Amino acid sequence: MTTNENGLREGEIDIINNFTRRKLAPEEVFVFSLVLCDNEIDRDHERFSEDALKKLETLFCGVTGVTDHDPKAGNQTARIFSCRTEKVPGKKTSYGEDYVRLTARAYMPRTDGNSEFLMQLDSGIKKEVSVGCSVAKRICSICGCENGSCGHVRGRTYDGKLCYMTLDEPTDAYEWSFVAVPAQKGAGVIKSFKKGAVDTMDIEKRLFSGTAQSFTADELNILADNFRTLKEKAADGEAYRRKLEADISKQAAFALPQLKRDTLDFMTRKMSAVQLEDLCKALCAKAAKNVPLRPQLCAEDKKDNKKYNDYKNI
Ligand SMILES: [Zn+2]
C-alpha cells in the first residue's frame, strides 16, 4: 500500500472529502491509524464480542475524537473516516479465541498549531486511546446471564474460571480520545451502557478508586443524580440533627444545670444522630425527675410523665 508524506493511502483523500465542507488537498491533512478496541479481556474484566467489534466499525465511522485531555494543551480534533476489524495472525486471546481488533483511520487538518502534536503521533508517543460507546448487553462468562442480574463478580474466579463480561450489541459510539499519559492506570477502553442497564456499582468503584478516571456523559448523569439525592438526604439529616441538639440543650438546662453550654456543644458536635437520640432520651428522663412541674415532658418517658401527673393531682 502506498502512502504519501502525510500518511495518506491511495484513495483516502476521496473518502475524507465525504466528511469535509470543502474539498481538502492531500497536503492539507494528516492521517494516522489507531486501534480503538479489541476482544481481549481488559483491566475492567470486560471484552467486546467479535460481533460487537463488527458493528462498531460502522458506528465509529465519522466520529470525532479529542486528541488531548489536557485543556491547556489546546485540544486537537481528528475524525475517523474508516474503520475495520482485523484478526492478528497467530495471536490468541487469553481465553483462547482468535484475537480481533477494531482499527481506525483518522484525519486532522494540518495547521501551524498542531505540528508538535503531529510529530508526537509520528513518533508513536500518543497511541493509547479510550473510547466511549454504549452497549445493550453485557454477558456473564460464568453463567451467560445478561446485565449483571446473576451476582457473579467480574475479576473473581468460580471453580477456576475467571468471571468477565462480554460486551455485545453496541448501540452508539460517541467519542474517542488519546489518553494524555499513556502509561496511566485506568487508561484504555471506557464503556458506558444504555440507561437503565448501567452498572452503578462499577461507576462508584471507579469514582473511589483513587486513580484518574474518565466518565461518559451517561455515567456523569448517574453520578450527578446520586449526588443530588445524597445532598437532599444530608439536608434532612442535618435538620433532624439540629432539632435533636436544640432538644438536648433544653433538657440539659433542667437535667444538668451545672453543665456549661460550651461543654455540651463540644460533646454533641462529635456525636452521631443515634448517640444524640440516646443522650436526648437520658436527659429527658433526668430532667423529668429534677423538675416534675415542668410543663412539657418527653413523650417517651411515660413513667416520669405519670409521676408528673401524680404530683399535679396532689
Ligand atoms: Zn453470572
Side-chain angles (χ1 to χ4, degrees), residues 139-146 148-153 158 163-165:
I139 303 154
C140 173
S141 64
I142 303 297
C143 66
C145 196
E146 282 174 24
S149 48
C150 60
H152 286 122
V153 180
Y158 297 87
C163 175
Y164 61 86
M165 297 292 153

Side-chain angles (χ1 to χ4, degrees), residues 1 8-24 29 31 61-62 79-83 105-107:
M1 202 173 291
L8 262 177
R9 292 172 187 162
E10 233 179 295
E12 283 188 331
I13 193 68
D14 298 327
I15 306 171
I16 291 169
N17 278 326
N18 289 330
F19 293 98
T20 56
R21 250 187 255 164
R22 72 169 176 86
K23 242 181 161 90
L24 295 174
V29 294
V31 172
C61 216
R79 188 193 291 271
I80 290 172
F81 62 90
S82 79
C83 269
R105 298 278 289 157
Y107 74 90

